[in-house]
Coordinates of all heavy atoms in Angstrom, one line a residue:
V567 N 90.4 91.0 106.2 CA 89.9 92.1 106.9 C 91.0 92.6 107.9 O 91.7 91.8 108.5 CB 88.6 91.8 107.7 CG1 88.9 90.7 108.7 CG2 88.0 93.0 108.4
K568 N 91.2 93.9 108.0 CA 92.0 94.5 109.0 C 91.2 95.1 110.1 O 90.2 95.8 109.8 CB 92.9 95.6 108.4 CG 93.8 96.3 109.4 CD 94.8 97.2 108.8 CE 94.1 98.5 108.3 NZ 95.0 99.6 107.9
W569 N 91.5 94.8 111.3 CA 90.9 95.3 112.5 C 91.9 96.1 113.2 O 92.8 95.6 113.8 CB 90.4 94.1 113.4 CG 89.7 94.4 114.6 CD1 90.0 94.0 115.9 CD2 88.4 95.0 114.8 NE1 89.1 94.3 116.8 CE2 88.1 95.0 116.2 CE3 87.5 95.6 113.9 CZ2 86.9 95.6 116.7 CZ3 86.4 96.2 114.4 CH2 86.1 96.2 115.8
V570 N 91.7 97.5 113.1 CA 92.8 98.4 113.5 C 92.2 99.4 114.5 O 91.2 100.0 114.3 CB 93.4 99.1 112.3 CG1 92.4 99.8 111.5 CG2 94.5 100.0 112.8
S571 N 92.9 99.6 115.6 CA 92.5 100.6 116.6 C 93.4 101.8 116.5 O 94.6 101.8 116.1 CB 92.6 100.0 118.0 OG 94.0 99.8 118.4
S572 N 92.8 103.0 116.9 CA 93.5 104.2 117.0 C 93.2 104.8 118.3 O 92.1 105.3 118.5 CB 93.1 105.2 115.8 OG 93.8 106.4 116.0
F573 N 94.2 104.8 119.2 CA 94.0 105.4 120.6 C 95.1 106.4 120.8 O 96.2 106.0 121.3 CB 94.0 104.3 121.6 CG 92.7 103.5 121.8 CD1 92.1 102.9 120.7 CD2 92.1 103.5 123.0 CE1 90.9 102.2 120.9 CE2 90.9 102.8 123.2 CZ 90.3 102.2 122.1
P574 N 94.9 107.6 120.4 CA 96.0 108.6 120.5 C 96.6 108.8 121.9 O 97.8 109.1 122.1 CB 95.4 109.9 120.1 CG 94.3 109.5 119.2 CD 93.7 108.2 119.8
G575 N 95.8 108.5 123.0 CA 96.3 108.6 124.3 C 97.4 107.6 124.7 O 98.1 107.7 125.6
N576 N 97.5 106.6 123.8 CA 98.6 105.6 124.0 C 99.9 106.2 124.0 O 100.9 105.7 124.7 CB 98.5 104.5 122.9 CG 97.4 103.5 123.2 OD1 96.7 103.5 124.1 ND2 97.3 102.6 122.2
L577 N 100.1 107.3 123.3 CA 101.4 107.9 123.2 C 101.9 108.4 124.5 O 103.1 108.4 124.8 CB 101.3 109.1 122.2 CG 100.9 108.7 120.7 CD1 100.8 110.0 119.9 CD2 102.0 107.8 120.1
D578 N 101.0 108.8 125.4 CA 101.3 109.3 126.7 C 101.8 108.1 127.6 O 102.4 108.3 128.7 CB 100.2 110.0 127.4 CG 99.7 111.2 126.6 OD1 100.6 111.9 126.0 OD2 98.5 111.6 126.7
M579 N 101.5 106.9 127.2 CA 101.9 105.7 128.0 C 103.1 105.0 127.3 O 103.3 103.8 127.6 CB 100.7 104.8 128.1 CG 99.6 105.4 128.9 SD 98.2 104.2 129.1 CE 97.5 104.2 127.5
N580 N 103.7 105.7 126.3 CA 104.8 105.1 125.6 C 104.4 103.9 124.8 O 105.1 102.9 124.6 CB 106.0 104.8 126.5 CG 106.7 106.0 127.0 OD1 106.9 107.0 126.3 ND2 107.1 106.0 128.3
L581 N 103.1 103.9 124.3 CA 102.6 102.9 123.4 C 102.3 103.5 122.1 O 102.0 104.7 122.0 CB 101.3 102.3 124.0 CG 101.4 101.6 125.4 CD1 100.0 101.2 125.9 CD2 102.3 100.3 125.3
D582 N 102.3 102.6 121.0 CA 102.0 103.1 119.7 C 100.5 103.5 119.7 O 99.7 102.8 120.3 CB 102.3 102.1 118.6 CG 103.8 101.9 118.4 OD1 104.5 102.9 118.6 OD2 104.2 100.8 118.0
R583 N 100.2 104.5 118.9 CA 98.8 104.9 118.8 C 97.9 103.8 118.2 O 96.8 103.6 118.6 CB 98.7 106.2 117.9 CG 97.3 106.6 117.5 CD 97.3 107.7 116.4 NE 97.9 107.2 115.2 CZ 97.3 106.5 114.3 NH1 96.1 106.2 114.4 NH2 98.0 106.1 113.2
A584 N 98.4 103.1 117.2 CA 97.6 102.1 116.5 C 98.1 100.7 116.8 O 99.3 100.5 117.0 CB 97.7 102.4 115.0
S585 N 97.2 99.8 116.8 CA 97.5 98.4 116.8 C 96.5 97.7 115.9 O 95.3 98.2 115.7 CB 97.4 97.8 118.3 OG 96.1 98.1 118.8
A586 N 96.9 96.5 115.4 CA 96.0 95.9 114.4 C 96.3 94.4 114.2 O 97.4 94.0 114.5 CB 96.2 96.6 113.0
V587 N 95.3 93.8 113.7 CA 95.3 92.4 113.3 C 94.8 92.3 111.9 O 93.8 92.9 111.6 CB 94.6 91.5 114.2 CG1 94.5 90.0 113.7 CG2 95.2 91.4 115.6
L588 N 95.5 91.5 111.0 CA 95.0 91.3 109.7 C 94.7 89.8 109.5 O 95.5 88.9 109.8 CB 96.1 91.7 108.7 CG 95.8 91.4 107.2 CD1 94.6 92.3 106.7 CD2 97.0 91.7 106.3
I589 N 93.5 89.5 109.1 CA 93.1 88.1 108.8 C 93.0 87.9 107.3 O 92.4 88.7 106.6 CB 91.8 87.7 109.4 CG1 91.8 87.9 110.9 CG2 91.4 86.3 109.0 CD1 90.5 87.7 111.6
V590 N 93.7 86.9 106.7 CA 93.8 86.6 105.3 C 93.0 85.4 105.1 O 93.2 84.3 105.7 CB 95.2 86.5 104.8 CG1 95.2 86.1 103.3 CG2 96.0 87.8 105.0
N591 N 92.0 85.4 104.1 CA 91.1 84.3 103.8 C 91.4 83.8 102.4 O 91.8 84.5 101.5 CB 89.7 84.7 103.9 CG 89.2 85.1 105.3 OD1 89.6 86.2 105.8 ND2 88.5 84.3 105.9
S592 N 91.2 82.5 102.3 CA 91.3 81.9 101.0 C 90.1 82.3 100.1 O 88.9 82.3 100.5 CB 91.2 80.3 101.1 OG 90.9 79.7 99.8
R593 N 90.4 82.7 98.9 CA 89.4 83.1 97.9 C 88.6 81.8 97.4 O 87.4 81.9 97.1 CB 90.0 83.8 96.7 CG 89.0 84.1 95.6 CD 87.9 85.1 96.0 NE 87.0 85.3 94.9 CZ 85.9 84.6 94.6 NH1 85.6 83.5 95.4 NH2 85.1 84.9 93.6
L594 N 89.3 80.7 97.5 CA 88.6 79.4 97.0 C 87.6 78.9 98.0 O 86.5 78.5 97.6 CB 89.7 78.4 96.7 CG 89.3 77.0 96.3 CD1 88.6 77.2 94.9 CD2 90.4 76.1 96.2
T595 N 88.0 78.9 99.3 CA 87.1 78.3 100.3 C 86.6 79.2 101.3 O 85.6 78.9 102.1 CB 87.9 77.2 101.1 OG1 88.9 77.8 101.9 CG2 88.5 76.2 100.2
G596 N 87.1 80.4 101.4 CA 86.7 81.4 102.4 C 87.3 81.2 103.8 O 87.1 82.0 104.7
R597 N 88.0 80.1 103.9 CA 88.6 79.7 105.2 C 89.8 80.6 105.6 O 90.6 81.0 104.7 CB 89.0 78.3 105.2 CG 87.9 77.3 105.1 CD 88.3 75.9 104.7 NE 88.9 75.1 105.7 CZ 88.3 74.3 106.5 NH1 87.0 74.2 106.4 NH2 88.9 73.6 107.4
P598 N 89.9 81.1 106.8 CA 91.1 81.9 107.2 C 92.3 81.1 107.1 O 92.4 79.9 107.5 CB 90.8 82.3 108.7 CG 89.8 81.2 109.2 CD 89.0 80.8 108.0
E599 N 93.3 81.7 106.5 CA 94.6 81.1 106.2 C 95.7 81.6 107.1 O 96.7 81.0 107.3 CB 95.0 81.2 104.8 CG 94.1 80.5 103.8 CD 94.5 80.6 102.4 OE1 95.0 81.6 102.0 OE2 94.3 79.6 101.6
A600 N 95.6 82.9 107.5 CA 96.7 83.5 108.3 C 96.1 84.6 109.2 O 95.1 85.3 108.8 CB 97.7 84.1 107.3
I601 N 96.7 84.7 110.3 CA 96.4 85.8 111.3 C 97.8 86.5 111.4 O 98.7 86.0 111.9 CB 95.9 85.3 112.6 CG1 94.6 84.6 112.4 CG2 95.7 86.5 113.6 CD1 94.0 84.0 113.7
I602 N 97.8 87.8 111.1 CA 99.0 88.6 111.0 C 98.9 89.8 111.8 O 97.9 90.5 111.8 CB 99.3 89.0 109.5 CG1 99.2 87.8 108.6 CG2 100.7 89.6 109.4 CD1 99.2 88.1 107.1
E603 N 100.0 90.1 112.6 CA 100.1 91.4 113.2 C 99.9 92.5 112.1 O 100.7 92.5 111.2 CB 101.4 91.6 114.0 CG 101.4 92.7 115.0 CD 101.5 94.1 114.3 OE1 102.2 94.2 113.3 OE2 100.9 95.0 114.8
G604 N 99.0 93.4 112.3 CA 98.6 94.3 111.2 C 99.2 95.7 111.2 O 99.1 96.4 110.2

């Protein structure tokens, strides 16, 4: 699952509009295997 935000006002604060986290799960066990900057 990707959990991604879009806050256009961030641009006025010299921040990127979008930020995100990606969680990758095992298809075999369903257990989370990685947390990645998304």
Side-chain angles (χ1 to χ4, degrees):
V567 62
K568 179 174 73 172
W569 181 238
V570 56
S571 68
S572 175
F573 278 57
N576 283 357
L577 299 174
D578 297 329
M579 299 183 284
N580 292 320
L581 298 173
D582 288 333
R583 173 189 60 82
S585 57
V587 172
L588 178 66
I589 299 174
V590 176
N591 295 75
S592 165
R593 174 65 181 87
L594 179 63
T595 67
R597 292 159 78 90
E599 296 182 322
I601 299 175
I602 310 171
E603 194 287 323

